[in-house]
């Protein structure tokens, strides 16, 4: 994965708030600003059970990060940076409470 251009964030991982097929999402805290953030944590090494190399998965992560870096809109979760630690890639995102968008129900607003 290419070197990131976003400023580094000094952060601490908190409790697990969700999980998916390729990783887990944790609550985090920016230790400089004390703001909450979401940390998508993904293993980047081969699965010991399948012995498959995760090259396709790493390419997908690179595409996701590149997309997030270029998005800027008030209604889109903000990308804050990435960090690596041995076989783990951490994607740092703005935290928005309320769960995943799949858990939200559509409601009609009538002024």
């Amino acid at each position: 994965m290419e070197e990131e251009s976003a400023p580094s964030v000094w952060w601490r991982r908190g409790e697990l708030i969700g999980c998916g097929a390729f990783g887990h999402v944790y609550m985090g805290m920016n230790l400089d600003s004390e703001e909450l953030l979401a940390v998508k944590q993904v293993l980047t090494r081969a699965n010991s059970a399948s012995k498959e190399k995760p090259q396709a998965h790493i390419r997908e992560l690179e595409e996701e990060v590149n997309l997030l870096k270029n998005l800027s809109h008030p209604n889109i979760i903000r990308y804050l940076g990435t960090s690596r630690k041995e076989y783990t890639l951490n994607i740092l995102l703005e935290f928005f409470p309320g769960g995943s968008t799949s858990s939200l129900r559509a409601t009609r607003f009538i002024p």
Side-chain angles (χ1 to χ4, degrees):
M1 183 166 273
E2 293 179 18
E3 206 57 38
E4 90 171 69
S5 60
S8 61
V9 177
W10 187 41
W11 61 280
R12 176 173 291 147
R13 189 178 86 177
E15 66 181 68
L16 179 69
I17 56 176
C19 56
F22 296 107
H24 295 80
V25 179
Y26 294 91
M27 174 78 68
M29 179 177 278
N30 180 329
L31 296 175
D32 290 323
S33 67
E34 296 185 357
E35 291 178 315
L36 295 177
L37 48 97
V39 180
K40 181 175 183 179
Q41 194 170 70
V42 183
L43 289 177
T44 57
R45 65 181 165 149
N47 183 327
S48 59
S50 68
K51 303 287 185 197
E52 294 177 8
K53 293 190 179 221
Q55 295 304 320
H57 181 56
I58 290 172
R59 277 192 300 276
E60 289 173 5
L61 288 170
E62 288 174 338
E63 289 174 14
E64 179 180 349
V65 167
N66 286 329
L67 175 67
L68 290 169
K69 282 180 183 179
N70 295 312
L71 293 176
S72 179
H73 189 277
N75 297 334
I76 297 176
I77 298 295
R78 194 169 35 111
Y79 167 79
L80 301 173
T82 56
S83 70
R84 281 181 164 257
K85 195 170 191 180
E86 292 187 40
Y87 298 113
T88 304
L89 172 68
N90 300 292
I91 302 172
L92 310 175
L93 303 164
E94 176 181 28
F95 176 73
F96 187 81
S100 70
T101 55
S102 64
S103 67
L104 300 176
R105 289 188 281 168
T107 57
R108 183 177 223 179
F109 175 74
I110 302 171

